[in-house]
Amino acid sequence: MASPSPGPREVLAPSPEAGRRVATSSSSRGGLLWRLRDKQPRLGLFEIGPGHELHRLTCMMQAGLWAATQVSTDHPLLGPPTEEDFSEVMTQVLEGFELGTLAGPAFAWLRHSLGLAEKDYQASLGPGGPYLQFLSTSKSKASFFLSHDQRFFLKTQRRKEVRALLAHLPRYMQHLRRHPHSLLARLLGVHSLRVARGKKKYFIIMQSVFYPASRISERYDIKGCEVSRWVDPAPEGSPVILVLKDLNFQGKTIYLAGPQRSWLLRQMELDTAFLRELNVLDYSLLVAFHCLHKDERGPGSSLVLRTVRSVQGVQSQDEPRTQNRRLLPEAPNALHILDGPDQRYFLGLVDLTTVYGLRKRLEHLWKTLRYPGRTFSTVSPARYARRLYQWVEAHTE
């Protein structure tokens, strides 16, 4: 598998003062309050303020990302990324740490193609407000964060996962060009961070599928199997945010207008076929529910009319049917939103870096013996893709 670039290009951060400001920033809330909040036994969202064990790390991430985005702002790409752009590694030296930006020009071009302004990206991820820690139900040892406005999702990754992602990046971007309304999560950046001579930590940035989150009532992480796919729900009326799993979804249905369901099934077919070609598995379909207000639904509502038109009548010679385009809703994060008669659904495919290599093949054999007759996540990419598509087919009307 291809590795990232042969050597770093070291530059100085454009604004070291930003790093100093964020590293010494404080909040009116005391450290004791943060420690008490962190002791909550359930999972959810927590602001990472002074006193939080990850406060220093996230301050460095914010300062580093501010500096990295300033470079792409000052030196915009004039055309599509080249082979060298995909392998570039830029190292910026800030006060007390180094931030690496991998394939920076390629990701800057991807952000540009999505209509995301670099200044907005910088404002969300920079020192404008504390990151939120998302305590996941995932079994991985990764750390999960949200930008202060919850628009972007950050996740720590192992080095081999980063290498797989970068090896697949040109094909990933080509897939998004061919299918601009794909359900694949939009990856926006890959970085490393090292303090002094310590070990590098890698993290990725992507658009949050669950944005805007203010009216989301239920969240699910779906893999299309049953082993280890149950989460104890939060008590009724609890403000705690939980992402539930496959077995929690039993008895529920995603209700869509006819054209919307047809579009969704076709896009799942296209996206899972692509992931099968990459030889990856263990990805998830994120699903969230958001109840529409009365004035947003019904036969006369503009939302429903847009739903009906979303697949019909939008194809043209410039937009061939093979692209599977739809008319997007007038909402932030429209690429991950589908409107039904009564509900708005947030949908996106995430965690695209697990390759079906020797370790996963051995894990498949072990789980076959451990869980006879039951479905589990570690199966061949072809079977995984087919099973997740069948889950969507069975749970939509």
Side-chain angles (χ1 to χ4, degrees):
M1 182 175 295
S3 2
S5 91
R9 174 167 66 88
E10 184 172 298
V11 299
L12 293 177
S15 178
E17 292 80 11
R20 285 196 289 271
R21 282 198 304 271
V22 69
T24 58
S25 64
S26 61
S27 169
S28 60
R29 309 183 191 188
L32 176 61
L33 174 59
W34 298 111
R35 288 194 292 273
L36 290 174
R37 289 180 64 175
D38 289 345
K39 291 181 182 296
Q40 293 189 37
R42 291 191 174 272
L43 309 178
L45 281 177
F46 302 89
E47 284 189 11
I48 302 175
H52 193 292
E53 62 180 353
L54 296 174
H55 182 244
R56 182 167 178 263
L57 171 65
T58 56
C59 284
M60 289 188 290
M61 292 169 69
Q62 289 181 316
L65 291 174
W66 189 96
T69 310
Q70 192 61 44
V71 172
S72 58
T73 300
D74 294 340
H75 305 282
L77 210 59
L78 300 179
T82 64
E83 185 176 346
E84 291 74 21
D85 292 328
F86 282 105
S87 62
E88 181 182 294
V89 178
M90 178 181 69
T91 302
Q92 292 175 282
V93 181
L94 291 99
E95 187 172 340
F97 70 97
E98 296 177 355
L99 186 93
T101 300
L102 290 73
F107 282 111
W109 181 260
L110 178 55
R111 295 193 295 269
H112 171 74
S113 70
L114 294 171
L116 176 56
E118 292 294 272
K119 287 296 185 183
D120 291 340
Y121 185 68
Q122 186 181 54
S124 290
L125 292 167
Y131 283 171
L132 305 175
Q133 183 185 19
F134 181 79
L135 300 181
S136 170
T137 53
S138 168
K139 290 186 175 181
S140 74
K141 296 181 180 179
S143 296
F144 302 84
F145 309 104
L146 285 168
S147 58
H148 65 88
D149 56 7
Q150 302 189 39
R151 188 177 177 185
F152 302 110
F153 187 83
L154 302 91
K155 179 185 178 182
T156 59
Q157 300 265 231
R158 293 175 293 179
R159 183 182 178 186
K160 70 175 185 178
E161 293 172 329
V162 167
R163 292 180 65 185
L165 189 156
L166 293 176
H168 295 153
L169 183 58
R171 294 177 67 184
Y172 166 82
M173 291 181 63
Q174 183 182 54
H175 180 78
L176 295 184
R177 285 195 299 271
R178 289 177 175 172
H179 307 289
H181 296 167
S182 167
L183 291 168
L184 298 183
R186 283 357 186 228
L187 299 169
L188 304 175
V190 177
H191 299 272
S192 66
L193 189 150
R194 181 167 63 183
V195 180
R197 297 184 180 274
K199 187 177 179 181
K200 284 184 179 179
K201 297 178 183 291
Y202 292 91
F203 63 96
I204 65 171
I205 304 168
M206 67 180 192
Q207 283 186 324
S208 175
V209 174
F210 297 154
Y211 175 82
S214 58
R215 288 168 55 189
I216 290 179
S217 58
E218 302 172 56
R219 297 166 173 82
Y220 296 89
D221 177 307
I222 301 297
K223 293 183 182 289
C225 59
E226 59 179 323
V227 172
S228 300
R229 302 304 296 166
W230 168 265
V231 173
D232 290 332
E236 187 174 352
S238 169
V240 172
I241 295 173
L242 286 175
V243 178
L244 305 175
K245 298 185 178 182
D246 299 63
L247 296 180
N248 300 96
F249 202 91
Q250 288 183 353
K252 295 183 180 294
T253 301
I254 298 171
Y255 292 101
L256 299 167
Q260 287 286 77
R261 182 174 185 269
S262 298
W263 176 87
L264 175 60
L265 292 177
R266 176 57 179 156
Q267 194 58 56
M268 282 294 299
E269 183 180 26
L270 292 167
D271 288 336
T272 55
F274 169 70
L275 296 173
R276 182 182 68 237
E277 291 171 4
L278 294 185
N279 198 37
V280 300
L281 72 159
D282 217 20
Y283 46 90
S284 297
L285 176 67
L286 296 185
V287 181
F289 291 74
H290 158 143
C291 187
L292 295 173
H293 293 315
K294 288 183 179 180
D295 61 348
E296 297 174 328
R297 52 182 155 171
S301 76
S302 59
L303 282 173
V304 173
L305 290 176
R306 284 202 302 273
T307 294
V308 174
R309 300 197 332 262
S310 65
V311 177
Q312 297 175 338
V314 300
Q315 308 296 341
S316 70
Q317 291 181 349
D318 296 326
E319 299 174 357
R321 188 169 297 277
T322 55
Q323 289 190 317
N324 198 42
R325 288 177 179 262
R326 63 187 176 105
L327 186 64
L328 300 173
E330 297 172 6
N333 201 28
L335 290 169
H336 291 297
I337 289 174
L338 279 174
D339 285 330
D342 301 309
Q343 295 272 357
R344 168 166 287 183
Y345 302 101
F346 295 77
L347 300 160
L349 290 163
V350 300
D351 298 335
L352 315 177
T353 60
T354 302
V355 176
Y356 193 55
L358 177 60
R359 181 177 178 180
K360 284 296 178 181
R361 292 173 189 272
L362 293 175
E363 185 179 333
H364 169 73
L365 293 175
W366 179 83
K367 287 187 175 180
T368 300
L369 298 174
R370 177 71 176 82
Y371 305 109
R374 301 182 67 190
T375 56
F376 46 84
S377 63
T378 312
V379 294
S380 71
R383 185 177 175 187
Y384 196 97
R386 181 172 62 252
R387 191 173 63 188
L388 189 57
Y389 173 87
Q390 291 171 342
W391 186 95
V392 174
E393 189 176 37
H395 290 83
T396 55
E397 289 184 6

